[in-house]
Amino acid sequence: MSTQTWGERVDSADWDAVAGELDEFGGALLPQLLTVDEAAGIRDLYVEDGLFRSTVDMARHRFGDGQYRYLKSPYPEPVEQLKQALYPRLLPIARDWWARLGRPTPWPDTLDEWLTQCHDAGQTKSTAIILRYGRGDWNALHRDLYGDLVFPLQVVINLNEPGVDHTGGEFLLVEQRPRAQSRGTSTQLPLGHGYVFTTRDRPVRSARGWSAAPVRHGVSAVRSGERHTLALVFHDAA
């Protein structure tokens, strides 16, 4: 069992390498942020109705197949602590990206200050999500925007063991390149590991210097078993 705090696990990442992967591919694998027992504990929360503000049936809304639930705030300790630890690590990357694109960088130094800005703008709904997929379920390509105020990076954590609890269910990124065909990547996330990726768009080199490449994400079809993930979005919803 790991004796590291959630913050220490976040800090253990090679953040220069993570920034480089994000610049090259729009996504990057993070270290194991949750132990096996912690991941199981979060999976078990899924049936606790009182912890969630909303449940979404994906097929009903043509989002794919499967189900996800928005956790109420305040979040369970692992969720809150991971968000608090990840935000200051992601912030320099976000500011650098928006500076390259000539955009203002509205994000303050702490997550609490940023969420206060979201709430003042009417984005008051919690956005941490637990997703559940069974055999044949999948998630359509999309972007988690939720309002005018958006943080350009987010993190997903796999709560199951690929190849043991499920097959298939790779995490997908599709990037629309300037004046070119779209580029796709797929990543199988190890149990408890995080994956940081582009929320909306990101800077890519172009003939004019830097252009914004829109990015969408999704999940390929689960071929067998069951897959749960924890999604951490760093802005709240309108």
Side-chain angles (χ1 to χ4, degrees):
M1 180 179 294
S2 173
T3 60
Q4 288 182 308
T5 66
W6 295 294
E8 288 171 338
R9 295 173 205 167
V10 169
D11 290 343
S12 73
D14 182 341
W15 283 99
D16 288 338
V18 168
E21 287 275 307
L22 283 164
D23 276 343
E24 186 170 0
F25 299 111
L29 193 63
L30 298 176
Q32 187 172 16
L33 301 180
L34 293 171
T35 66
V36 172
D37 288 343
E38 290 166 355
I42 294 179
R43 288 199 311 269
D44 291 345
L45 297 179
Y46 200 83
V47 297
E48 301 291 335
D49 291 341
L51 297 177
F52 299 92
R53 69 168 178 84
S54 178
T55 301
V56 177
D57 181 271
M58 294 164 66
R60 178 183 175 189
H61 297 279
R62 301 178 68 98
F63 293 164
D65 279 300
Q67 189 182 79
Y68 59 87
R69 311 189 81 178
Y70 288 98
L71 282 160
K72 290 180 181 178
S73 182
Y75 298 129
E77 187 177 40
V79 178
E80 180 63 27
Q81 292 298 320
L82 284 170
K83 287 190 69 172
Q84 292 287 346
L86 284 161
Y87 178 84
R89 289 295 191 171
L90 300 178
L91 182 60
I93 302 171
R95 287 173 170 169
D96 176 57
W97 277 12
W98 257 228
R100 292 188 220 173
L101 293 171
R103 298 174 175 175
T105 55
W107 313 291
D109 291 340
T110 70
L111 178 60
D112 289 341
E113 290 175 289
W114 168 236
L115 293 180
T116 295
Q117 287 184 215
C118 290
H119 297 171
D120 289 345
Q123 293 179 211
T124 59
K125 296 179 181 177
S126 57
T127 52
I129 308 167
I130 302 177
L131 302 98
R132 184 181 68 187
Y133 304 88
R135 183 180 181 277
D137 290 346
W138 57 284
N139 198 339
L141 295 171
H142 66 285
R143 296 186 291 180
D144 297 318
L145 302 182
Y146 300 129
D148 292 334
L149 297 182
V150 174
F151 193 77
L153 295 161
Q154 61 194 88
V155 173
V156 64
I157 303 171
N158 193 1
L159 304 177
N160 291 97
E161 180 71 41
V164 177
D165 298 326
H166 67 88
T167 60
E170 294 85 3
F171 186 82
L172 305 175
L173 284 181
V174 175
E175 179 174 286
Q176 183 180 325
R177 309 287 286 179
R179 295 175 300 283
Q181 297 287 344
S182 296
R183 181 182 71 173
T185 61
S186 66
T187 305
Q188 187 63 271
L189 307 183
L191 170 63
H193 283 250
Y195 187 80
V196 56
F197 62 96
T198 309
T199 301
R200 183 174 68 185
D201 49 18
R202 70 184 195 92
V204 296
R205 289 197 178 275
S206 68
R208 298 188 302 275
W210 294 99
S211 295
V215 179
R216 295 179 295 162
H217 65 277
V219 174
S220 69
V222 173
R223 297 182 179 274
S224 66
E226 194 168 67
R227 177 186 186 272
H228 297 76
T229 54
L230 171 66
L232 304 178
V233 178
F234 294 89
H235 48 271
D236 280 349

